[in-house]
Amino acid sequence: MGLTSRPLCQSSVAFQSSNASTAEEFEPVPRLCRLILSVYEDDLRDPLWAPPGGYGIDPDWVVVKRTYEDTGGCAAPYMIYLDHDNADVVLVIRGLNLAKESDYAVLLDNKLGQTTFDGGYVHNGLLKAAKWVFDTECELLRDLVEMNPDYRLTFAGHSLGAGIVSLIVMYAVQNLDRLGNIERKRIRCFAMAPARCVSLNLAVRYADVINSIVLQDDFLPRTTTALEDVYKSIFCLPCLLCLMCVKDTCTLEEKMLKDPTRLYAPGRLYHIVERKPFRIGRFPPVVRTAVPVNGRFEHLVLSCNATSDHAIIWLERESQRALDLMLEKDRILEIPAQQRMQRQESIAREHSEEYEAALRRAAALEIPRAAPSPSYGTFAEVGKGESSSGSSIGTRSSLLSFKRMRERWDDFIERLFDVDESGRMVFKKSST
């Protein structure tokens, strides 16, 4: 219940253990967590939260910092930061403030299947907040990107903010002209401990630009309960989680995946695992990756850390530990530059295969509009002359491809093995 997983399909790597090859991908996570913590700073009166040297933020590089008064309750506080050390234009949004009614208004403004976006379903309140932030800051972001053509445009947020930045990126990809026609590959998003805010087809299609970071047993990316019920039951949250765990356990996974209105954590998932079942204490953190279609976070984990793992302070500490271990392994192995480049190309190829496998899996499950549109350069393009029945054709073709794979495997087995009198398979004797 919770940590078990199924492979995405036979031709893809559904999970990747922590190693030096993923250090470059994972490197921005601790740094962005510290930027988010700097936006929380006004509410963190306890000096134990902040490290002695601060968060490493240069005040001269802060372009804009908006408070609740500036946003008028339309969105959570956020900051635009020009990170010259890492060639990044960064927009970070903080998470839920339990003392602010405006944050509850954003979270609770949603009903299942209420709002559609780009052929899928999204959280209504988070989409409104995302559009407000984008409309307010798009001109400033465009100017910063044009003034720094070698910089990437990075969005990051925690909890409530993670859902907002995820939808900002999706909205921005649909309106690239308002950002000076920036290339899609220069945009990326890191959603820390996100709420479920997009349907499965959108989660898969935007996995090339959105990355979700989940620490161990965090309850929020796993809970399928309406956020309204979660926060109404905040003082009896363990009871609610137990009931939802029982409900999810009794629901078939295929039925859950086929529900077009069911919301998921957005994009590609990075799962930081630091505790083992039936063990005491924390272990060196390991980072595993997944795509939402394999159902890794479809079941709640009954754990005493389910709520504490949601805290941004623990996410920052454990992600930094995981990154340090990756870099240490990289230093010990001393991988030559040429082999490192080849490995990075191999990882990129594996990710591309994983995205395609996820799309095939989604098509096989008959998930509506799981195939990407021609404008998505990450995936294979759809022919211009396709009719409206293209999705059903894609589904049939994917099923046929799986059938051919099984037939080839059967032929391969027949060439290598014979069945003896007892019914056991034995190797064929070589004939010359």
Side-chain angles (χ1 to χ4, degrees), residues 256-274:
M256 291 190 293
L257 291 173
K258 283 188 175 183
D259 183 1
T261 62
R262 186 182 177 89
L263 300 183
Y264 293 79
R268 184 178 184 81
L269 301 169
Y270 287 81
H271 190 199
I272 304 174
V273 180
E274 57 170 356

Side-chain angles (χ1 to χ4, degrees), residues 3-21:
L3 289 182
T4 56
S5 60
R6 296 183 177 88
L8 192 58
C9 75
Q10 293 178 350
S11 63
S12 69
V13 181
F15 297 97
Q16 232 170 262
S17 297
S18 171
N19 51 48
S21 62

Side-chain angles (χ1 to χ4, degrees), residues 43 62 132 222 301:
D43 295 332
V62 176
W132 186 91
R222 292 181 169 90
V301 177

Side-chain angles (χ1 to χ4, degrees), residues 20 327-337 339-340:
L327 296 175
E328 179 67 16
K329 187 177 292 186
D330 193 2
R331 185 187 64 79
I332 294 174
L333 293 176
E334 295 182 352
I335 304 174
Q339 293 184 9
R340 192 192 306 275

Side-chain angles (χ1 to χ4, degrees), residues 47 79 84 128 156 164 179 188-189 192 215 223 254 271 276 282 292 319 323 334 344 353 357 378 394 425 432:
M79 176 178 69
H84 294 290
K128 287 181 180 178
I164 295 176
L179 294 174
R188 61 181 178 177
C189 170
M192 317 295 178
L215 176 59
T223 180
E254 186 174 349
H271 190 199
K276 298 180 181 180
R282 295 175 183 267
S319 62
L323 179 61
E334 295 182 352
Q344 290 174 354
E353 292 174 357
T378 304
M425 296 183 68
T432 58

Side-chain angles (χ1 to χ4, degrees), residues 338-405:
Q338 183 176 0
Q339 293 184 9
R340 192 192 306 275
M341 291 178 60
Q342 292 175 351
R343 181 54 181 159
Q344 290 174 354
E345 293 175 357
S346 174
I347 289 293
R349 188 164 54 250
E350 288 175 3
H351 287 184
S352 178
E353 292 174 357
E354 187 175 6
Y355 297 144
E356 293 174 1
L359 289 171
R360 289 197 298 270
R361 166 78 166 153
L365 290 171
E366 299 180 355
I367 296 169
R369 296 198 62 173
S373 66
S375 61
Y376 297 116
T378 304
F379 307 102
E381 292 190 356
V382 182
K384 293 182 179 179
E386 264 188 341
S387 64
S388 59
S389 61
S391 59
S392 60
I393 295 174
T395 303
R396 289 196 298 272
S397 63
S398 63
L399 294 175
L400 288 174
S401 64
F402 286 124
K403 184 177 180 181
R404 294 191 195 99
M405 288 172 61

Side-chain angles (χ1 to χ4, degrees), residues 81-296:
Y81 185 77
L82 197 57
D83 190 348
H84 294 290
D85 289 340
N86 298 281
D88 250 349
V89 177
V90 186
L91 187 152
V92 293
I93 303 181
R94 59 158 289 166
L96 176 73
N97 186 339
L98 294 175
K100 292 291 183 180
E101 294 182 2
S102 58
D103 283 2
Y104 289 103
V106 171
L107 278 174
L108 305 184
D109 182 14
N110 186 63
K111 292 181 180 179
L112 196 63
Q114 177 182 355
T115 305
T116 59
F117 178 85
D118 193 21
Y121 292 91
V122 296
H123 188 285
N124 183 61
L126 296 180
L127 180 62
K128 287 181 180 178
K131 287 183 177 180
W132 186 91
V133 174
F134 182 81
D135 292 339
T136 303
E137 306 296 349
C138 66
E139 293 183 4
L140 176 58
L141 293 174
R142 181 189 62 208
D143 294 340
L144 292 173
V145 169
E146 291 177 349
M147 290 166 49
N148 303 276
D150 297 329
Y151 286 25
R152 300 190 69 167
L153 180 57
T154 302
F155 298 85
H158 172 246
S159 189
L160 168 70
I164 295 176
V165 293
S166 300
L167 293 173
I168 288 177
V169 168
M170 293 169 56
Y171 190 64
V173 167
Q174 298 295 317
N175 297 273
L176 292 177
D177 56 319
R178 298 180 63 182
L179 294 174
N181 291 314
I182 183 175
E183 295 179 346
R184 179 185 175 114
K185 64 182 180 181
R186 288 178 60 194
I187 300 177
R188 61 181 178 177
C189 170
F190 290 88
M192 317 295 178
R196 290 174 167 244
C197 57
V198 298
S199 57
L200 182 57
N201 57 346
L202 296 179
V204 173
R205 287 165 52 190
Y206 286 90
D208 61 323
V209 291
I210 301 177
N211 306 282
S212 291
I213 318 298
V214 180
L215 176 59
Q216 190 77 29
D217 301 332
D218 187 357
F219 78 96
L220 193 59
R222 292 181 169 90
T223 180
T224 56
T225 310
L227 293 177
E228 179 179 4
D229 298 331
V230 170
Y231 288 98
K232 280 181 179 178
S233 309
I234 195 70
F235 296 108
C236 193
L237 187 57
C239 303
L240 179 65
L241 295 183
C242 288
L243 291 175
M244 290 309 303
C245 183
V246 173
K247 178 183 176 183
D248 288 343
T249 303
C250 298
T251 305
L252 294 177
E253 181 181 354
E254 186 174 349
K255 181 180 179 181
M256 291 190 293
L257 291 173
K258 283 188 175 183
D259 183 1
T261 62
R262 186 182 177 89
L263 300 183
Y264 293 79
R268 184 178 184 81
L269 301 169
Y270 287 81
H271 190 199
I272 304 174
V273 180
E274 57 170 356
R275 294 183 298 274
K276 298 180 181 180
F278 310 109
R279 303 285 184 88
I280 298 175
R282 295 175 183 267
F283 291 81
V286 175
V287 181
R288 298 173 178 171
T289 62
V291 174
V293 75
N294 64 4
R296 182 172 179 79

